[in-house]
Amino acid sequence: MNTEHKAKPKICCEQVSKTFIQKGNQEVPVISNVSINVHENEFLVVCGPGQCGKSTLLKIIAGLELPDTGTVTIDGKEISGPGTDCGMVFQSYMLFAWKTVRHNVEMGLKFRNVPPDKRGEIAQHYIDMVGLKGFENHYPHQLSGGMKQRVGIARAYANTPSVMLLDEPFGQLDAQTRMFMQHETIRIWEQEKRTVIFVTNNIDEALFLGDRIVLMEGKLPGTVKTEYCVDLPRPREHTSTALLQLRKLITDNTELVL
């Protein structure tokens, strides 16, 4: 890992717990006593099977949910609600169907009252960055799944957050497109570094993307089982001996569906 990761953490989750109340006032503990530090410009992957609380943890970091106990801080400031520090990309595409690619990417800038000329310039930069030049005036129904998710990534980057949160963003894509988007994600991250937390249930994806993998227990309430440093050079190959050895180590310690 880079030496910069030894500095003070960018994000600190300390003893974070969350319980939801279902019908009939039934309490469902979702995460319990989760502590994670994430460093500046680190690409951290939170890996675990479905229903282990990893998406809830991401929403708490984004300020979309509040923890019952524990704290989350970014740059030493406690998170108490959504803010401009975090950009989030969801598994579903979350695009406005009646707006073009350009207008979808500009949406956050418009809410921040950025002047039209400036937000057009910013939007174009990130549209170009994600490889959608020439599709600015297309609508979501005219785009493939991978292209729609690129719009979501461009929109998140356009707001210049210091932290990018991606919640299983490629879960709806076919295998070939998913692999392509993994390569694109690393290309974009290396071009415009951010601190990234990426949630997935796929070990191969975690190994290809992450500087570090936080492995969650495969049951509720979600807890951190262990961590793995992926100290492998980029670009990585899924078939490299070192990656396959680490893959076996993680697979032997998890119940994930590959």
Side-chain angles (χ1 to χ4, degrees), residues 1-2 210-212 228-233 236 246:
M1 296 177 66
N2 297 333
D211 291 323
R212 184 162 51 104
Y228 298 91
C229 175
V230 189
D231 196 10
L232 301 174
R236 296 172 185 165
L246 187 52

Side-chain angles (χ1 to χ4, degrees), residues 9 43 59 62 78-79 94-95 139 152 164 167 188 203-204 207 216 236 243 251:
F43 201 120
K59 290 176 182 177
E78 186 170 351
I79 300 302
M94 304 291 285
L95 301 181
Y139 290 88
M164 289 287 289
D167 188 8
I188 293 166
I203 293 174
D204 292 319
L207 285 167
M216 301 285 287
R236 296 172 185 165
L243 191 145
T251 302

